[in-house]
């Protein structure tokens, strides 16, 4: 042990963050303790502020320091559409892309019988309740194009059959910037099937 | 802005850590706020503990929660040898490797005229003082095999000419596990020149 227990503990905890391994956690810890006032103190304060303020939005399940969250409270959002995502990370990704100007519903995962994730483990009942609000006309299922994502999409679609909403899913096709030579057969087949008229 | 200012600030600060870019900082922030009690609270506490306890060792320049540091206070260390390193990261690397069981001296960088780093910016005077202690018989210069590292090694060697110590540097050669085909000419030439007798 070349460093005291405080530094070792900091390294251990940093190494648990996604994207940081043991080696980079050591570098990050050293960076922090060498720049105590400029880097470590602000990070400690930001963590404490986040701990004190951030809650799960009671409407959509987003994480934010206001409740309902910034998105649910935003009056400029289209009030007729709910975008269903599996995880807060997906919500953030759609917001970064400015892909849609609506509100969200975070399921908290996807159905996965193998991992023991059933309908009761996800925020599906609250989605059905929200979808029955007469103001809602469309539910966009923005779920991963994986087996679990699509199973969840089909399950949710069936549950929403009674609600007066149009249920839509994301388009499949060639990613922007994608080269055909590198795409899998499933994507190419979908892209041909869903071809669009030019000009 | 899909998240409140507390999350945005946390992402910004995490993105400044080495090894984390904007995208991985977002993932790390989300990981933290989703695991408030298990991950975020311990990390906040560890940062605060590190802030409260870690200082620069007044003997060698290491960072630790005791002063003199754990290494300088360790009675099992060879008291006759000082290992000179540029940075605390190098000290940690040598300790991880268990490469040497001596005490250290952290210079705080290497001489670099282009970057405006001169002898007064490094802990060189305190090294000369330590090397004049009659108990010290060897100073190992464990510095990078770069132009700046070797310039610093030569400069320190000259300053230690008056002290009654042997000044040594790290061996150059083929890294353990290294394949000759991928090594540069300088390393290969050094490895031939410093060849050792087998068996």
């Amino acid at each position: 042990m070349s460093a005291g227990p405080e530094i070792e503990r900091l390294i251990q905890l940093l190494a648990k963050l996604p994207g940081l391994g043991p080696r980079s956690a050591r570098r990050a810890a050293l960076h922090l303790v060498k720049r105590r006032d400029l880097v470590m103190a602000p990070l400690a304060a930001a963590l404490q502020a986040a701990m004190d303020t951030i809650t799960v939005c009671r409407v959509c399940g987003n994480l934010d320091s206001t409740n309902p969250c910034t998105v649910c409270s935003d009056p400029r959002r289209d009030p007729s559409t709910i975008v269903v995502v599996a995880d807060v990370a997906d919500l953030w990704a759609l917001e970064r892309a400015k892909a849609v100007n609506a509100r969200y519903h975070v399921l908290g995962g996807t159905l996965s019988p193998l991992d023991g994730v059933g309908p009761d483990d996800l925020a599906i009942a609250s989605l059905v309740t929200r979808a029955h609000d007469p103001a809602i006309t469309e539910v966009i299922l923005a779920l991963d194009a994986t087996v679990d994502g699509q199973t969840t999409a089909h399950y949710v679609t069936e549950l929403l059959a009674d609600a007066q909403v149009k249920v839509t899913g994301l388009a499949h096709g060639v990613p922007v910037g994608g080269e055909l030579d590198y795409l899998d057969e499933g994507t190419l087949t979908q892209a041909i099937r869903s071809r669009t008229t030019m000009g």
Side-chain angles (χ1 to χ4, degrees), chain A residues 65-138:
Chain A
S65 48
T66 56
N67 195 346
C69 72
T70 314
V71 176
C72 285
S73 316
D74 183 352
R76 288 161 304 181
R77 300 269 166 166
D78 173 2
S80 67
T81 304
I82 297 175
V83 183
V84 177
V85 292
D87 193 275
V88 176
D90 302 329
L91 187 163
W92 288 8
L94 289 168
E95 283 292 296
R96 277 201 303 284
K98 298 190 175 64
V100 61
N101 186 40
R103 300 205 173 85
Y104 294 88
H105 191 88
V106 180
L107 293 180
T110 46
L111 293 176
S112 179
L114 284 176
D115 297 323
V117 180
D120 295 340
D121 302 310
L122 305 178
I124 291 179
S126 54
L127 171 64
V128 173
T129 308
R130 284 182 76 187
H132 275 87
D133 181 330
I136 304 295
T137 56
E138 180 172 0

Side-chain angles (χ1 to χ4, degrees), chain A residues 194-199:
Chain A
S194 311
R195 63 193 176 277
T196 56
T197 308
M198 303 294 288

